[in-house]
Amino acid sequence: MVSRGVVKRLENKIVDSPVSAVDIFCGAGGLTHGLMTSGIVVEAGIDVDPQCRFAYEQNNPSVKFIERDVAKIDASLVDSCFRSEAIRLLAGCAPCQPFSKLTNGIQKHRSWNLLDRFALLVEQLRPELVTMENVPELMKRGQSVFEHFCEVLRRTDYHIAYGIVNCCDYRVPQSRQRLVLLASQLGPLPIPLGKSRFPSQRKTVRKSIGKLPPLESGEQDPDDSLHVASCLSDLNLQRIRATPHDGGCRREWPDELILECHRRKSGERYHSIYGRMWWDRPAPTMTTLCNGIGNGRFGHPEQDRAISLREAAILQSFPKSYEFWPEKQILNRKAVGRMIGNAVPPALAKALGEAILDHVTQWQAINRSGHL
């Protein structure tokens, strides 16, 4: 359960914020939570998925969740959420599935045009600040969409900065490459450098989840419903037991455990599948299926199981107290996995929020001195 102390600290930190933000495509609130932790007031989150409402509102005090399809909302709805007299920030991470290298037929994907919708809202509202986060493939597979987004920003008088960052440079215990964009009508706003750019500074799997209670396959921590391990089949249990601790992979398996698809030439390169994480490195990229060993290198470094949903959330840099599902309801593991995998890591969002606040503070100081 989210403690009242955490809630109170968030409320106190943002009480005098000069920035008023709306988070579109907000999901479970990773971007919102990071921005609020940095000191930015987030007024509302908008998302079409009703299953995200509990997590979003439970962990982000006084922020309303608006269940609407961003592709269909009117700009006036978003505009009504901003605080009057404040500097407005429109923030969001449009669904990345259309541009992911794992997706085929991208122009037929139902979410293909959502970044264009984001651009239209910017053009109609003209908020002073914009931030957008997505997969790096957007610059290649979705090049025309990304170029259109940037063109809209340029013709509406924004200074733009964008680049590909590694989340582990921003205190996220995970190697996750993301495209980040910042835009401001107040002046140049560069992408902030991470504070843990050297390997010795990075948060590792051990530092992040090493002290959580151990679990066996199919077991749940009685004190945390999200710290639950998927139940492995007998064959997959043999496979994880045959995988060496601390970074081992299926190369070490006896022949009878190897999957037929991995015997083919096309399957030779996927050595991370069924692999274990390394204790003393950041985790691999968390996906929506990260609590299953057959979906990537999501095996626990030494316990014979896949990582739990709680461990995945922590590796996404969510606080350990972050609630994703009501305690009195049967846990929907698929829905929670989707929320975690799709989230903007809060620690990355916090770094962006701090850069935005510094930018606004400097702009205000310059404007005050100019009027003396």
Side-chain angles (χ1 to χ4, degrees):
M1 180 177 292
V2 179
S3 71
R4 285 302 306 165
V6 171
V7 171
K8 195 66 178 175
R9 283 197 299 275
L10 275 178
E11 290 174 338
N12 290 341
K13 192 163 190 176
I14 64 179
V15 67
D16 295 322
S17 176
V19 179
S20 172
V22 175
D23 181 358
I24 59 176
F25 317 107
C26 66
L31 178 55
T32 286
H33 200 76
L35 291 176
M36 291 181 68
T37 304
S38 76
I40 288 175
V41 175
V42 180
E43 313 291 351
I46 304 173
D47 201 283
V48 72
D49 186 355
Q51 293 180 316
C52 294
R53 178 184 293 275
F54 172 82
Y56 189 86
E57 293 185 337
Q58 185 74 5
N59 300 279
N60 300 295
S62 305
V63 188
K64 59 184 176 181
F65 178 89
I66 301 173
E67 185 188 328
R68 297 287 292 275
D69 186 346
V70 174
K72 299 176 181 177
I73 60 173
D74 191 271
S76 61
L77 171 65
V78 181
D79 194 39
S80 68
C81 296
F82 289 115
R83 191 172 77 252
S84 60
E85 307 301 321
I87 292 172
R88 299 165 301 158
L89 166 65
L90 186 62
C93 174
C96 61
Q97 289 84 354
F99 316 110
S100 170
K101 59 187 175 183
L102 301 178
T103 303
N104 294 316
I106 55 177
Q107 292 193 4
K108 296 179 181 179
H109 197 284
R110 63 185 180 276
S111 300
W112 173 258
N113 293 322
L114 287 177
L115 192 60
D116 283 342
R117 182 59 187 167
F118 193 164
L120 180 61
L121 288 171
V122 171
E123 193 166 30
Q124 292 172 332
L125 295 169
R126 303 203 176 194
E128 289 79 9
L129 302 163
V130 175
T131 184
M132 185 273 291
E133 189 255 23
N134 214 292
V135 292
E137 288 81 11
L138 175 60
M139 295 178 67
K140 293 183 179 179
R141 302 190 88 207
Q143 183 178 3
S144 61
V145 180
F146 181 64
E147 287 179 350
H148 173 70
F149 188 83
C150 292
E151 175 56 30
V152 169
L153 290 170
R154 290 189 185 98
R155 71 170 180 249
T156 42
D157 300 320
Y158 287 91
H159 298 266
I160 308 170
Y162 61 82
I164 296 171
V165 303
N166 193 329
C167 292
C168 64
D169 293 347
Y170 297 84
R171 303 299 290 162
V172 180
Q174 176 190 169
S175 293
R176 186 185 187 94
Q177 299 280 336
R178 301 299 286 182
L179 169 64
V180 171
L181 179 145
L182 291 172
S184 172
Q185 293 182 335
L186 310 180
L189 172 54
I191 305 296
L193 293 175
K195 296 180 180 178
S196 54
R197 297 191 302 279
F198 300 103
S200 62
Q201 299 171 323
R202 290 173 178 165
K203 296 186 75 172
T204 64
V205 172
R206 188 190 303 275
K207 290 177 181 176
S208 303
I209 66 170
K211 294 184 179 180
L212 267 63
L215 297 174
E216 295 185 2
S217 167
E219 187 179 10
Q220 177 182 311
D221 180 355
D223 298 321
D224 184 355
S225 62
L226 254 65
H227 190 37
V228 54
S230 298
C231 187
L232 300 180
S233 66
D234 289 341
L235 185 56
N236 278 341
L237 198 54
Q238 290 180 57
R239 286 172 173 146
I240 192 69
R241 286 172 175 167
T243 306
H245 290 182
D246 202 6
C249 66
R250 59 184 174 81
R251 288 176 177 168
E252 314 295 331
W253 292 355
D255 190 66
E256 64 269 17
L257 294 182
I258 298 175
L259 286 80
E260 190 58 40
C261 61
H262 291 160
R263 298 178 189 274
R264 304 187 197 112
K265 191 175 181 74
S266 59
E268 290 178 355
R269 56 183 176 168
Y270 298 109
H271 291 295
S272 64
I273 305 295
Y274 290 91
R276 292 183 185 271
M277 296 180 180
W278 287 273
W279 269 130
D280 297 314
R281 300 185 192 178
T285 299
M286 295 293 104
T287 70
T288 58
L289 300 173
C290 56
N291 61 323
I293 63 167
N295 304 311
R297 189 179 287 276
F298 299 131
H300 190 278
E302 63 182 41
Q303 296 167 35
D304 294 332
R305 60 175 177 85
I307 59 170
S308 70
L309 290 169
R310 177 61 71 197
E311 288 167 331
I314 292 171
L315 294 171
Q316 271 282 54
S317 75
F318 280 100
K320 187 179 177 182
S321 61
Y322 209 89
E323 297 183 59
F324 288 89
W325 203 257
E327 282 290 334
K328 294 182 180 179
Q329 291 185 19
I330 296 173
L331 178 65
N332 186 330
R333 299 186 191 185
K334 184 177 180 180
V336 173
R338 183 178 69 249
M339 292 181 213
I340 294 169
N342 284 338
V344 176
L348 173 62
K350 180 176 183 286
L352 297 177
E354 290 172 343
I356 289 168
L357 280 176
D358 286 346
H359 171 69
V360 170
T361 300
Q362 291 175 22
W363 177 83
Q364 289 176 325
I366 291 170
N367 274 268
R368 281 196 298 269
S369 64
H371 287 89
L372 291 179

